[in-house]
Amino acid sequence: MLARRELFPHVIEMNYQTRQRLGCSVYLVHDAGEWLLIDIGYEDTAEEIIEVIRQMDFSLSSCKYLVATHADVDHIQGLKRAQELLPGAQTVGHPECARLLAAADRIVTYAEISAQGISIDLPAIKIDKLINEGDKLQVGGIELDVWNTPGHTPSQLAFRLGKLLLSGDNIYRDGCVGNIDAHHGSDIPAFITSLERIRDADVEWLLPSHGPVFRKDSKMIQKTIDRLEQYQHMADFGTCAVDWPLLDEWEDELIRGFDPAKA
């Protein structure tokens, strides 16, 4: 039997448990014999992750939920295989996530990025139960509060467990955030609102979907918010930006009869 390496009481992260990178952060939350998985990652590591869970002396029949934080392929490609190995578990996710996975949408989920030669198999995946803002997931005697924190994607979910926030792709320890991409449905104003919510919450630890767990630093989150505030007005972010002030300046110059040779 493998010794359990808990990050916090009731919480195991599979990359930390195995001391190797298996992909996105995969969190096992457990109590009183029941457990759930938040994300599963790619298909090629799903069986390995579940075998490690078995070796930690968790009953596979006691898995209550397979949770999708959102529909990105690096978080959910292994769900179909996990469903086969854990048939007693309910697969849960946001309504938009359920729609994309049922349709096996290869573009929005980043399974297909032809310009970069990325093409990843994505089977159709059925979400059994829809969850959204204000819902709760109970495992044994503990409850996780469901937050909808859009910005990276409309379907991005985070989960609060006491002073912990399993925070998805909202923010990482270096102050970076999940991809901002119009094809992905990203929304910078919504992202800022989600980060403000995390900044102002009385949680103490953030458990992100990529990279290490870290103690919440409101000043660091504010720096990220300030950066995203700038992104809203930059052509770099295309249709994810809300405006481009340079074009207003140009229009004013055209009206005034601006002559670049005399500038």
Side-chain angles (χ1 to χ4, degrees):
M1 187 176 77
L2 291 176
R4 301 176 182 180
R5 296 186 177 123
E6 290 193 325
L7 288 170
F8 300 96
H10 307 288
V11 180
I12 295 169
E13 197 282 304
M14 299 309 297
N15 293 270
Y16 181 81
Q17 172 67 35
T18 61
R19 293 290 196 263
Q20 62 175 314
R21 283 185 59 190
L22 298 170
C24 75
S25 298
V26 178
Y27 293 99
L28 186 156
V29 180
H30 67 96
D31 186 60
E34 289 188 332
W35 55 282
L36 61 76
L37 282 182
I38 295 180
D39 288 334
I40 187 61
Y42 286 115
E43 184 179 37
D44 62 358
T45 56
E47 290 190 28
E48 179 180 357
I49 287 169
I50 292 170
E51 174 59 20
V52 170
I53 291 169
R54 187 192 65 78
Q55 291 181 25
M56 287 191 290
D57 201 29
F58 287 100
S59 169
L60 299 190
S61 63
S62 297
C63 180
K64 192 170 181 181
Y65 297 117
L66 294 168
V67 183
T69 59
H70 58 300
D72 283 2
V73 68
D74 59 324
H75 292 250
I76 54 76
Q77 190 206 21
L79 263 180
K80 196 171 187 69
R81 183 59 181 141
Q83 290 172 331
E84 295 167 352
L85 295 170
L86 303 166
Q90 274 193 310
T91 303
V92 301
H94 185 276
E96 175 68 4
C97 176
R99 183 186 70 80
L100 294 172
L101 297 188
D105 188 316
R106 300 175 56 75
I107 304 300
V108 179
T109 62
Y110 288 150
E112 190 76 31
I113 308 176
S114 58
Q116 295 180 322
I118 294 172
S119 185
I120 300 169
D121 181 52
L122 180 65
I125 297 167
K126 181 179 183 292
I127 297 287
D128 301 311
K129 178 181 178 180
L130 302 180
I131 56 173
N132 209 338
E133 175 69 35
D135 289 331
K136 296 180 183 295
L137 294 177
Q138 184 160 354
V139 179
I142 62 177
E143 283 187 337
L144 283 76
D145 296 320
V146 180
W147 291 12
N148 180 212
T149 51
H152 172 54
T153 75
S155 64
Q156 175 72 72
L157 297 176
F159 302 89
R160 177 169 183 161
L161 177 62
K163 294 297 185 180
L164 312 178
L165 183 68
L166 295 103
S167 50
D169 281 357
N170 282 296
I171 191 164
Y172 313 126
R173 191 176 71 182
D174 61 0
C176 290
V177 300
N179 291 4
I180 297 173
D181 186 329
H183 292 290
H184 199 224
S186 300
D187 183 313
I188 298 177
F191 218 146
I192 292 168
T193 298
S194 294
L195 290 172
E196 288 172 338
R197 179 181 187 181
I198 294 170
R199 179 199 63 195
D200 296 340
D202 63 350
V203 296
E204 296 178 359
W205 290 91
L206 301 183
L207 287 64
S209 290
H210 298 281
V213 167
F214 60 103
R215 190 181 290 276
K216 192 187 81 169
D217 181 342
S218 295
K219 290 182 179 178
M220 181 270 281
I221 296 173
Q222 184 59 51
K223 287 182 180 179
T224 300
I225 291 169
D226 293 343
R227 191 173 75 246
L228 266 63
E229 291 278 6
Q230 292 180 312
Y231 290 173
Q232 293 186 103
H233 313 291
M234 295 174 65
D236 306 37
F237 293 89
T239 56
C240 286
V242 299
D243 59 27
W244 187 14
L246 177 62
L247 293 188
D248 293 331
E249 292 176 20
W250 184 42
E251 184 173 4
D252 290 342
E253 290 170 2
L254 290 172
I255 293 169
R256 295 197 313 268
F258 170 74
D259 184 348
K262 296 179 180 179

